Amino acid sequence: MLRQLLPVLLLTISNIFMTFAWYGHLKYKGSALWIVILVSWGIALFEYCFQVPANRIGHEYYTAAQLKTMQEAITLIVFSVFSVLYLKEDFQWNYLVGFILIILAVFVIFKKW
């Protein structure tokens, strides 16, 4: 059971790195674009160091569709926290409704029908 949770942990860490790689530069709009791209690419390297093992280990327990759906749900949670705490953006009610619908998709994907 614990080994089945390892992909969730690795995907969460992976998503933290990727969120900073993709969106962290928005606080530094004065930086040259080529610098932002190189820094983002460097951060993304660490993301891959967690994502690839997460998918490799996770595929022992989950289908590829389940792993992708799990990753998307984790991405939304990580991004929500990131956008509020790091970017200081408001979290709106329609975001919550949309995220709930995506969580519903997770249920549908993981449910044994």
Side-chain angles (χ1 to χ4, degrees):
M1 176 66 178
L2 199 54
R3 185 136 165 102
Q4 287 177 286
L5 293 177
L6 183 58
V8 176
L9 175 63
L10 292 173
L11 285 172
T12 302
I13 295 168
S14 163
N15 271 283
I16 292 168
F17 279 110
M18 204 61 193
T19 300
F20 273 97
W22 284 13
Y23 300 101
H25 61 87
L26 295 178
K27 285 184 80 169
Y28 304 98
K29 292 180 181 174
S31 298
L33 186 57
W34 69 270
I35 292 173
V36 169
I37 291 170
L38 289 178
V39 170
S40 293
W41 199 30
I43 295 169
L45 171 66
F46 291 104
E47 184 267 341
Y48 278 92
C49 291
F50 289 97
Q51 170 143 65
V52 171
N55 287 326
R56 179 69 62 96
I57 295 165
H59 202 246
E60 295 175 24
Y61 306 100
Y62 308 105
T63 66
Q66 288 173 326
L67 283 167
K68 182 59 180 171
T69 305
M70 185 186 317
Q71 186 265 331
E72 292 299 333
I74 291 168
T75 296
L76 289 174
I77 293 166
V78 168
F79 182 78
S80 296
V81 172
F82 175 86
S83 67
V84 170
L85 296 181
Y86 186 78
L87 295 177
K88 307 293 186 210
E89 294 183 353
D90 293 333
F91 189 82
Q92 299 177 18
W93 71 269
N94 55 322
Y95 299 168
L96 180 61
V97 172
F99 293 168
I100 289 170
L101 292 173
I102 292 171
I103 299 301
L104 180 61
V106 172
F107 171 77
V108 171
I109 295 286
F110 278 83
K111 174 81 171 128
K112 301 289 184 202
W113 298 98

